[in-house]
């Protein structure tokens, strides 16, 4: 199995507050996740989009390390190489993280992340 070295998009913070962040992600064709998925028509796997939502929620909104559940996960429009998508992450009143990816092509993916409550 080949190692994955280039796994992150280029990130620009568009706006950020205590409970919400909006990021522009440029997804280069050079990202390792495109290798073999699929030759001639590379698309970004949904599991990668979910992983990025989790990592950026932890990085920008200080969510805990462990995800307890993923709710209402939907993938609507395929994300392809050399595309910029906006990722919005927001902590709702119940402490869950609502995320959505969108671009001028429409909404690509959305869902709700439930992070584990740290034990005391």
């Amino acid at each position: 199995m080949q190692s994955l070295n280039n796994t992150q998009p280029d990130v620009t913070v568009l706006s950020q507050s205590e409970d919400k962040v909006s990021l522009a992600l440029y997804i280069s064709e050079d990202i390792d996740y495109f290798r073999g998925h699929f030759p001639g028509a590379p698309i970004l796997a949904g599991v990668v989009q979910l992983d990025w939502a989790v990592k950026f929620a932890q990085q920008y909104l200080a969510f805990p390390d462990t995800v307890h559940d993923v709710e209402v996960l939907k993938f609507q429009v395929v994300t392809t190489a050399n595309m910029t998508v906006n990722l919005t992450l927001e902590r709702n009143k119940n402490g869950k993280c609502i995320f959505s990816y969108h671009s001028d092509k429409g909404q690509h993916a959305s869902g709700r992340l439930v992070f584990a409550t740290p034990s005391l």
Side-chain angles (χ1 to χ4, degrees):
M1 178 180 220
Q2 294 178 339
S3 65
L4 301 175
N5 298 312
N6 184 15
T7 61
Q8 299 300 304
D10 293 328
V11 179
T12 302
V13 177
L14 300 175
S15 65
Q16 185 173 9
S17 67
E18 184 177 340
D19 291 324
K20 185 175 183 178
V21 64
S22 181
L23 308 170
L25 309 179
Y26 175 70
I27 305 168
S28 167
E29 67 185 5
D30 297 331
I31 288 179
D32 291 341
Y33 295 128
F34 289 121
R35 288 191 306 216
H37 200 256
F38 294 95
I43 63 169
L44 189 66
V47 69
V48 174
Q49 295 174 62
L50 181 59
D51 181 62
W52 286 349
V54 169
K55 287 181 180 182
F56 292 134
Q58 292 165 333
Q59 179 179 346
Y60 290 98
L61 298 177
F63 276 98
D65 291 339
T66 305
V67 176
H68 177 71
D69 199 5
V70 179
E71 302 173 337
V72 297
L73 181 61
K74 297 178 183 173
F75 296 98
Q76 296 99 337
V77 174
V78 172
T79 302
T80 58
N82 298 321
M83 166 180 258
T84 298
V85 296
N86 292 336
L87 170 60
T88 302
L89 300 155
E90 183 172 8
R91 183 186 321 271
N92 72 9
K93 62 183 176 183
N94 298 321
K96 298 176 182 180
C97 181
I98 299 168
F99 72 90
S100 66
Y101 288 90
H102 58 278
S103 74
D104 57 356
K105 293 185 179 195
Q107 184 157 299
H108 295 263
S110 62
R112 194 165 50 230
L113 303 170
V114 182
F115 287 87
T117 306
S119 58
L120 300 175

